[in-house]
Amino acid sequence: MKRQIITLVIAGIFLISACKEKKSEDSQAKSKVCVSDSLSKLIKIDTVKIANVKDELSLSGEVSFNDNRVVKVFPFASGQVMEVRVSLGDKVARGQTLAVIRSADVAGNYTDLETTRSDLAVAKRQLQQAEYLYKNGISSERDYTEAKENYNKALSATRKIREQIAINGRGSTGANGTYIIKAPESGFVVEKNISAGSYIRQDNGASLFTISDMKDVWVWANVFESDIAKVKTGYAAKVTTLAYPGKEFEGKVDEVSSVLDPENKVMKVKVVLPNPGLLLKPEMFTNVLITNNEPSSSVAIPSDAVIFDSSKNYVIVYNGQCDLHIREINVIKSVGNITYIGSGLKPGERVISKNQILLYNALSE
């Protein structure tokens, strides 16, 4: 009985050894994965390089007109709006009528002008008479000087009223008090705070119209507290809109606010953009991508080369047509089509960045 047990154990050992040898022979007999000539036309090989680390921050924003390239039209006289001839977004030319106002102030200016004209005519006659009497030795120099001063005062009063009418009543049709507001410059009406029938006051702090040439615009983007350190003046910015899918507008961060918005707790940054074709309109919502080249550098490869499998990242290292290896890598971050590697690759090595999944599946079997 004891001899039979020993015999069975020895037989089992020989059987396990034979299985291991068989598995090893099968593994060695298995053909290597090679890149055929036809497959080589379908793949792309890139060299691992050292590159400056880029950082991108995606923000939401809104288009606004350039405050440095606008003209705000304020009321120079109070009155009732009789007619508004332009709408928001209209293109206007310099001198074009924007609105018509019936103003008691303008009418009063013309009344004052008539009064000062009469006073000036009287003062002129008195001056001529005083000058004649003085030159003929009938009146004193004092009387002549007093008449001259009275004339100068009347002349100044008349000039003041005329200048006031030239400013406040520019374009008015006469003493009936019609006050015509005209465009001081050509451009687009980007703000309109006036409507027919309303009453405006001269001391109103709000502008009636805002006109902008729209050749360049501002985009105000919102930055949360956690991302404030990632945005600085001069950083490159790419702006996209829903209105023009696939089109990018490139600009730079021109201003970074020093305070947070008290309501939504975000910091505002201003991006200045050229506006060719006047495509960007005020109040448009935008996506803003802020890009920064950090002073640090890292190993970088195309993002297309990375294979994500089972919560890990891999690449196919290409050493030769039949010398391919799967290698796990540690990804720092990806920006655009560049992935920065913390470990797993060295500069100068080559990786497959197109259709590498086919080789990955073959090498994984």
Side-chain angles (χ1 to χ4, degrees):
M1 184 66 180
K2 188 175 181 180
R3 288 183 179 179
Q4 291 177 352
I5 293 174
I6 294 173
T7 304
L8 290 173
V9 170
I10 293 173
I13 292 172
F14 280 119
L15 181 60
I16 293 172
S17 177
C19 288
K20 288 183 178 179
E21 291 176 1
K22 176 66 174 176
K23 185 176 181 179
S24 177
E25 289 175 1
D26 290 343
S27 178
Q28 292 177 359
K30 184 179 179 179
S31 60
K32 293 182 178 180
V33 175
C34 293
V35 178
S36 63
D37 293 339
S38 57
L39 183 59
S40 64
K41 298 178 181 179
L42 302 177
I43 65 173
K44 183 181 178 181
I45 301 172
D46 284 285
T47 303
V48 180
K49 300 178 180 179
I50 295 289
N52 291 331
V53 177
K54 289 185 177 180
D55 196 9
E56 285 186 347
L57 180 63
S58 182
L59 308 171
S60 61
E62 186 174 313
V63 177
S64 175
F65 49 82
N66 184 344
D67 280 348
N68 296 329
R69 299 180 66 93
V70 299
V71 177
K72 292 184 178 291
V73 181
F74 291 91
F76 292 112
S78 59
Q80 186 176 18
V81 180
M82 306 303 294
E83 184 182 0
V84 180
R85 297 187 181 179
V86 295
S87 300
L88 190 66
D90 285 356
K91 185 177 181 180
V92 296
R94 183 175 184 176
Q96 179 178 336
T97 299
L98 304 178
V100 179
I101 298 174
R102 188 70 176 272
S103 173
D105 293 342
V106 174
N109 288 338
Y110 278 93
T111 301
D112 293 341
L113 180 61
E114 291 300 321
T115 302
T116 56
R117 280 176 175 173
S118 297
D119 293 342
L120 180 61
V122 172
K124 185 176 181 180
R125 286 196 301 268
Q126 290 176 347
L127 175 61
Q128 291 173 346
Q129 186 178 19
E131 183 181 8
Y132 174 80
L133 295 174
Y134 170 68
K135 288 182 178 180
N136 289 277
I138 301 173
S139 64
S140 64
E141 183 179 357
R142 178 180 178 181
D143 293 337
Y144 173 60
T145 303
E146 185 177 349
K148 185 185 293 185
E149 289 178 354
N150 291 336
Y151 173 78
N152 290 333
K153 288 180 181 178
L155 183 63
S156 297
T158 304
R159 185 183 296 115
K160 179 180 178 181
I161 295 299
R162 285 176 176 172
E163 290 176 352
Q164 190 171 356
I165 290 176
I167 297 173
N168 294 357
R170 181 182 302 169
S172 59
T173 58
N176 61 356
T178 303
Y179 172 30
I180 299 177
I181 300 177
K182 296 185 177 182
E185 297 290 343
S186 300
F188 294 85
V189 179
V190 295
E191 275 188 350
K192 172 177 166 288
N193 301 309
I194 184 175
S195 58
S198 60
Y199 187 86
I200 61 173
R201 295 174 51 181
Q202 187 175 357
D203 59 354
N204 184 14
S207 61
L208 303 181
F209 300 95
T210 300
I211 300 173
S212 172
D213 60 13
M214 297 296 291
K215 291 182 180 179
D216 55 54
V217 295
W218 291 351
V219 172
W220 289 100
N222 302 318
V223 182
F224 292 101
E225 287 187 61
S226 58
D227 297 322
I228 288 177
K230 299 179 181 179
V231 182
K232 294 181 181 179
T233 302
Y235 283 5
K238 294 181 179 179
V239 177
T240 56
T241 63
L242 293 175
Y244 311 107
K247 184 174 181 59
E248 290 185 344
F249 301 88
E250 297 185 358
K252 288 187 177 182
V253 176
D254 180 72
E255 180 183 331
V256 178
S257 177
S258 300
V259 296
L260 298 181
D261 189 306
E263 295 184 2
N264 48 29
K265 301 300 181 184
V266 297
M267 185 181 71
K268 296 285 187 179
V269 297
K270 181 180 71 179
V271 177
V272 177
L273 292 176
N275 191 20
L278 307 178
L279 298 178
L280 297 174
K281 316 293 183 184
E283 309 300 327
M284 272 187 175
F285 288 105
T286 63
N287 292 317
V288 182
L289 192 64
I290 305 294
T291 305
N292 167 40
N293 286 329
E294 298 177 357
S296 60
S297 60
S298 175
V299 174
I301 60 173
S303 297
D304 294 338
V306 180
I307 302 169
F308 184 77
D309 187 20
S310 302
S311 301
K312 295 181 179 180
N313 294 296
Y314 301 92
V315 293
I316 303 295
V317 179
Y318 182 91
N319 295 322
Q321 192 171 0
C322 292
D323 191 358
L324 310 173
H325 303 283
I326 298 175
R327 187 178 298 174
E328 183 180 350
I329 57 174
N330 176 32
V331 175
I332 299 175
K333 63 180 176 181
S334 295
V335 178
N337 193 38
I338 299 178
T339 296
Y340 299 96
I341 308 300
S343 61
L345 289 172
K346 295 180 180 180
E349 291 187 302
R350 294 183 293 174
V351 295
I352 300 177
S353 59
K354 183 178 179 181
N355 291 323
Q356 71 275 19
I357 192 67
L358 302 174
L359 297 169
Y360 177 80
N361 292 333
L363 291 168
S364 300
E365 292 179 355

